[in-house]
């Protein structure tokens, strides 16, 4: 890291040198304007303003609202501070909310690994030399325009999102005799949600594909000379090199699932937000949004930790040595 | 570099060894296309097929009836439909351009520059990405009111241009652009803007196209501004206009009108996807990275 910085400084010094004669105002102002930080902030500024005003500030506002009773009458907003009342209500009294939270956690735990594995497999298939890959790539990326639009609501309402009859392909009752119940439940859930899972893999496939294309081809050649099979190459070269991409995809999947507009918790928050009969209200909806947000962070934190640990282990692993040797062979 | 094929990702000939790939890919591809077939087929279903239970997948007796009733309803509205359409197109184009530019320039400095608070800003962005979007409706409304933007056309655009997901994706892609490339450009005397436009943007084209698709969708389908911030009918968007029919019309034709309007709303998405996808798939072949 330190070395990098030195290098960087050297380069900026070199880069700014030819510009110097053009601008004769040497001194403090010049130094500030031409510093890396200054241009950094300048590029960032427009986005930052938009972000602060329309994203960050509203989120902070909901945090304040979540501790209040918010009444909206004729466009006027009245708030009165009620402490943790909204939070207590959501967690202790509202069974619908806690059920939805459980359902969400279950869904994430099943979705994330499955989407990651499926998109990895598909991206490798799509990255192979094959007639019609361009066509297939387009098709597998296609769901991006379905899942992020309002279109998907229509599909789910109409039942197109599940594959009719797929449940009958597997005899779940028979499986339940030999396998523990939760495994059978998970399997049943996955088969009925299969299409949804495929639809949600579009961007992940793309991310994996770019990762695969960036891979150093000579590493495979070196491994091939050493007599490695394709299977070994996958586990010892492809997978370790893809680890950061996997983390990125896991984060992305969790986030996309969590803010998916038809997710049970989001619809609950929405109905309660607009409730006028006193059962919900905006303060209550804000509190639920925050509880949900924190739960999401915990899930994400666990997922990232698992992969980071895996990465650390990899570094000390024998496999990693092979990787290094392959790199050395290249050099 | 024998394996370098440039843009050609398809080998010329079919080979028997490829069959095993097709066995996997073809059935899955069919699933992916199902929704598109469905949305078309539903829009052309006559009333009795729409209400049939269990619903049939393909249309048996296609008809233009749904579109006719939709256009009749449109003809009856006080503000002409073209006005809404014009608003929507303007909003969508501006939102796409601005949000892509903001995401790329912010993504560039967050990824390639070193300054205080850089990591923190990106982390805050990632956190914001995860916050329930629907929950911020009312604070956003308060801000719009306080800024005096109610009933201004710009309130269609401003709230959605800073797209956390766009920055997130683009920054991750820019991370993969090798520093050596930027250094080389700086040595040749390129300034920051040149680097941004000549190096960063061409090399993260797949990400930009993805973000373009996403921002297109969020702008095209956005009804929040029309519902909450705008009272003046002539400033509202087409998406809002379309939803008024599916909720207000009488029940016998509602289903048909909803299906027809869903297709009309969906078509631009499909078009933008077809236009953009070649850019998405056009990977890194001629960006100087390999």
């Amino acid at each position: 890291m330190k070395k990098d910085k030195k290098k960087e400084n050297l380069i900026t010094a070199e880069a700014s040198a030819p510009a110097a004669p053009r601008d004769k105002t040497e001194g403090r102002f010049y130094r500030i304007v031409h510093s890396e930080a200054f241009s950094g902030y300048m590029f960032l500024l427009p986005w930052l303003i938009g972000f602060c005003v329309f994203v960050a500030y509203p989120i902070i506002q909901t945090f304040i609202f979540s501790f209040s009773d918010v009444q909206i009458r004729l466009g006027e907003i009245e708030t009165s501070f009620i402490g943790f009342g909204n939070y207590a209500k959501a967690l202790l009294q509202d069974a619908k909310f806690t059920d939805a939270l459980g359902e969400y956690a279950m869904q994430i735990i099943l979705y994330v690994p499955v989407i990651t594995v499926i998109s990895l497999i598909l991206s490798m298939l799509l990255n192979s030399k094959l007639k019609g890959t361009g066509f297939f790539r387009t098709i597998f990326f296609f769901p991006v325009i379905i899942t992020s639009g309002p279109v998907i609501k229509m599909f789910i309402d109409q039942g197109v999102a599940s594959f009719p009859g797929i449940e009958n392909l597997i005899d779940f009752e028979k499986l339940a005799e030999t396998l523990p119940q939760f495994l059978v439940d998970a399997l049943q859930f996955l088969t009925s949600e299969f299409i949804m899972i495929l639809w949600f893999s579009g961007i992940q496939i793309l991310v994996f594909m770019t990762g695969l294309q960036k891979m150093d081809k000579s590493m495979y050649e070196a491994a091939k000379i050493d007599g490695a099979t394709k299977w070994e190459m996958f586990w010892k070269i492809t997978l370790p090199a893809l680890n950061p991409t996997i983390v990125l995809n896991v984060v992305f999947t969790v986030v996309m699932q969590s803010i998916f507009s038809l997710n049970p918790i989001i619809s609950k928050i929405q109905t309660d937000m607009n409730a006028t009969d006193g059962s919900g209200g905006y303060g209550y909806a804000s509190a639920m949004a925050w509880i949900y947000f924190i739960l999401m962070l915990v899930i994400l934190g666990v997922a990232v930790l698992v992969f980071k640990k895996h990465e650390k282990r990899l570094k000390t692993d024998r496999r990693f040595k092979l990787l290094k040797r392959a790199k050395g062979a290249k050099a | 570099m024998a394996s370098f094929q440039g843009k050609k990702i398809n080998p010329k000939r079919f080979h028997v060894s490829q069959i095993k790939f097709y066995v996997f890919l073809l059935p899955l591809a069919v699933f992916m296309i199902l929704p598109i077939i469905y949305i078309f087929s539903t829009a052309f279903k006559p009333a009795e097929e729409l209400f049939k239970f269990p619903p049939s997948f393909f249309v048996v007796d296609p008809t233009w009836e749904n579109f006719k009733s939709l256009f009749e309803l449109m003809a009856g509205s006080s503000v002409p439909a073209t006005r809404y359409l014009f608003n929507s197109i303007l909003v969508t184009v501006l939102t796409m351009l601005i949000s892509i530019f903001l995401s790329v320039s912010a993504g560039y400095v967050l990824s390639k520059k070193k300054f205080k608070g850089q990591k923190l800003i990106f982390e805050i962005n990632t956190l914001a990405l995860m916050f329930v979007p629907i929950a911020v409706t009312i604070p956003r409304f308060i801000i719009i009111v306080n800024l005096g933007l109610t009933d201004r056309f710009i309130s269609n655009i401003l709230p959605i241009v800073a797209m956390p997901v766009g920055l997130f994706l683009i920054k991750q892609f820019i991370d993969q652009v090798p520093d050596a490339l930027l250094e080389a450009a700086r040595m040749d005397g390129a300034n920051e803007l040149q680097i941004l436009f000549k190096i960063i943007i061409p090399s993260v084209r797949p990400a930009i196209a993805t973000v373009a698709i996403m921002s297109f969708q969020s702008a095209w389908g956005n009804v929040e501004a029309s519902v909450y911030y705008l009272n003046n009918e002539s400033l509202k968007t087409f998406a809002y206009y379309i939803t008024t029919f599916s909720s207000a019309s009488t029940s016998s034709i509602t289903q048909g009108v909803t299906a027809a309007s869903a297709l009309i709303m969906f078509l631009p998405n499909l078009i933008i996807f077809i236009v953009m996808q070649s850019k998405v798939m056009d990977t890194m072949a001629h960006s100087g990275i390999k």
Side-chain angles (χ1 to χ4, degrees):
Chain A
M1 222 37 216
K2 232 180 182 173
K3 218 173 143 194
D4 261 349
K5 215 168 185 179
K6 236 183 190 168
K7 214 169 140 196
E8 190 97 14
N9 284 337
L10 203 81
I11 277 130
T12 39
E14 275 169 358
S16 55
R22 257 191 281 149
D23 198 329
K24 293 237 155 58
T25 49
E26 291 282 345
R28 207 164 148 215
F29 178 73
Y30 179 85
R31 264 208 318 275
I32 291 174
V33 169
H34 284 255
S35 71
E36 199 172 336
F38 182 79
S39 62
Y41 288 125
M42 274 338 247
F43 274 97
L44 195 60
L45 203 62
W47 180 84
L48 201 61
I49 293 172
F51 179 78
C52 287
V53 175
F54 290 105
V55 182
Y57 180 75
I59 292 178
I60 296 167
Q61 188 77 51
T62 55
F63 186 67
I64 299 168
F65 281 158
S66 71
F67 292 100
S68 325
D69 182 34
V70 181
Q71 298 286 341
I72 302 173
R73 284 193 201 90
L74 303 166
E76 295 287 312
I77 292 170
E78 290 167 27
T79 58
S80 50
F81 185 75
I82 54 164
F84 281 95
N86 285 326
Y87 287 90
K89 186 180 163 196
L91 289 175
L92 302 174
Q93 291 168 18
D94 197 341
K96 261 192 200 158
F97 179 66
T98 42
D99 283 355
L101 277 183
E103 200 184 314
Y104 156 79
M106 165 89 174
Q107 196 175 333
I108 286 286
I109 291 166
L110 288 174
Y111 260 51
V112 171
V114 174
I115 288 184
T116 313
V117 170
I118 284 191
S119 53
L120 178 61
I121 294 172
L122 281 175
S123 66
M124 292 205 311
L125 286 178
L126 293 173
N127 210 31
S128 52
K129 290 206 176 71
L130 186 66
K131 196 172 161 56
T133 4
F135 170 71
F136 281 117
R137 284 181 188 182
T138 309
I139 287 180
F140 283 99
F141 189 58
F142 167 70
V144 173
I145 63 167
I146 301 172
T147 48
S148 56
V151 183
I152 194 150
K153 186 173 182 336
M154 199 178 97
F155 291 134
I156 293 174
D157 289 348
Q158 306 272 1
V160 209
S162 61
F163 182 28
I166 197 169
E167 293 91 343
N168 307 333
L169 285 177
I170 306 167
D171 193 348
F172 287 106
E173 275 170 33
K174 208 158 198 181
L175 274 178
E177 287 166 18
T178 50
L179 290 170
Q181 188 59 39
F182 72 92
L183 263 179
V184 177
D185 283 345
L187 204 64
Q188 197 157 12
F189 179 78
L190 286 179
T191 40
S192 64
E193 300 275 304
F194 184 62
I195 293 187
M196 292 289 279
I197 287 171
L198 274 183
W199 283 354
F200 277 115
S201 311
I203 290 185
Q204 285 86 335
I205 293 176
L206 178 77
V207 173
F208 271 135
M209 248 167 24
T210 11
L212 284 171
Q213 275 157 8
K214 295 272 170 56
M215 216 91 86
D216 196 346
K217 298 274 188 315
S218 55
M219 214 126 80
Y220 290 100
E221 277 156 29
K224 215 174 183 179
I225 293 166
D226 285 355
T229 60
K230 284 212 160 155
W231 182 246
E232 282 169 328
M233 282 191 231
F234 170 74
W235 287 103
K236 292 175 181 172
I237 300 175
T238 315
L239 214 53
L242 275 184
N243 202 35
T245 323
I246 295 175
V247 177
L248 170 63
N249 265 342
V250 167
V251 173
F252 195 76
T253 313
V254 172
V255 169
M256 277 321 188
Q257 282 304 311
S258 306
I259 59 171
F260 178 49
S261 55
L262 298 175
N263 162 319
I265 302 179
I266 297 205
S267 41
K268 162 105 176 106
I269 290 174
Q270 191 171 11
T271 40
D272 279 20
M273 192 169 96
N274 299 325
T276 43
D277 57 352
S279 69
Y282 193 70
Y284 183 52
S286 302
M288 284 195 290
W290 272 93
I291 295 171
Y292 179 49
F293 179 62
I294 289 162
L295 177 73
M296 219 179 332
L297 283 187
V298 172
I299 290 180
L300 211 56
V302 170
V304 171
L305 266 181
V306 167
F307 279 98
K308 283 272 153 74
K309 218 171 185 180
H310 179 66
E311 201 173 302
K312 250 185 212 157
R313 215 185 61 220
L314 268 180
K315 277 187 185 146
T316 53
D317 210 13
R318 203 165 47 83
R319 290 178 209 164
F320 212 78
K321 279 180 193 151
L322 182 97
L323 197 81
K324 269 197 181 143
R325 208 172 59 208
K327 265 188 183 161
K330 187 190 94 189
Chain B
M1 281 291 155
S3 64
F4 182 76
Q5 286 203 327
K7 271 180 91 170
K8 285 181 290 171
I9 44 175
N10 297 336
K12 286 228 174 69
R13 250 165 301 156
F14 173 77
H15 191 261
V16 187
S17 69
Q18 292 172 4
I19 285 183
K20 55 181 184 288
F21 294 114
Y22 290 112
V23 171
F24 280 105
L25 288 176
L26 270 177
L28 294 178
V30 171
F31 284 129
M32 297 293 194
I33 303 199
L34 281 183
I36 225 182
I37 300 168
Y38 183 77
I39 200 165
F40 274 94
S41 119
T42 312
F44 291 101
K45 277 181 189 170
E48 62 274 14
E49 273 186 59
L50 280 169
F51 289 103
K52 207 165 81 182
F53 193 85
S56 61
F57 192 83
F58 291 105
V59 55
V60 182
D61 183 20
T63 164
W64 287 99
E65 215 45 56
N66 298 331
F67 291 92
K68 262 189 206 153
S69 30
L70 178 66
F71 290 133
E72 270 164 32
L73 282 169
M74 278 185 180
S77 71
S78 55
V79 179
T82 46
R83 172 77 212 189
Y84 293 101
L85 197 59
F86 172 77
N87 287 346
S88 265
I89 292 171
L90 196 63
V91 166
T92 311
V93 170
L94 286 176
T95 309
M96 270 170 82
L97 290 179
I98 300 174
S99 69
I100 289 171
F101 180 73
L102 292 188
S103 311
V104 174
S105 62
Y108 166 51
V109 291
L110 285 184
S111 167
K112 294 295 178 199
K113 299 269 163 186
K114 288 192 179 64
F115 53 89
K116 258 186 202 155
Q118 170 187 34
K119 266 214 166 126
L120 184 75
I121 289 172
F122 189 66
E123 244 132 59
I124 290 175
N125 178 68
T126 314
L127 290 182
L129 187 66
M130 289 184 282
F131 201 77
V132 191
I134 200 89
V136 295
T137 326
I138 290 177
R140 261 191 192 168
F141 172 73
I142 298 172
I143 289 171
I144 292 280
V145 172
N146 289 342
L147 290 176
L149 292 176
T150 39
D151 264 336
R152 295 276 178 90
F153 185 71
I154 201 158
S155 63
N156 271 317
I157 300 169
L158 275 186
I160 48 175
V161 288
M163 219 172 45
V165 67
L167 179 64
F168 180 78
L169 273 180
I170 284 183
K171 194 241 167 197
Q172 307 285 1
F173 272 76
I174 294 179
D175 279 347
Q176 299 175 357
V177 177
D179 289 333
L181 203 63
L182 306 184
E183 283 160 20
R186 283 202 194 97
M187 301 266 201
D188 288 349
N191 63 30
E192 293 300 327
L193 271 178
Q194 280 170 327
I195 290 178
L196 184 67
F197 280 100
K198 299 245 166 86
I199 296 175
I200 299 292
I201 290 183
S203 41
V204 296
R205 229 179 300 157
I208 291 178
T210 312
V211 173
I213 293 173
M214 290 173 126
S215 69
F216 172 86
Q217 286 193 294
S218 73
W220 176 252
N222 184 24
V223 290
E224 195 182 308
S226 302
V227 173
Y228 297 107
Y229 319 140
L230 304 167
N231 295 316
N232 186 344
E233 278 295 318
S234 61
L235 294 175
K236 296 187 177 183
T237 56
F238 195 69
Y240 167 79
Y241 180 63
I242 284 279
T243 55
T244 55
F245 295 129
S246 36
S247 53
S249 53
T250 47
S251 62
S252 63
I253 55 167
T254 306
Q255 282 272 345
V257 168
T258 312
S261 54
L263 179 61
I264 290 178
M265 282 303 291
F266 177 70
L267 273 183
N269 286 323
L270 187 63
I271 293 166
I272 200 91
F273 175 78
I274 292 169
V275 173
M276 287 293 174
Q277 63 82 20
S278 63
K279 304 256 178 338
V280 174
M281 298 309 153
D282 180 20
T283 59
M284 304 290 169
H286 38 210
S287 58
I289 309 168
K290 192 64 197 177

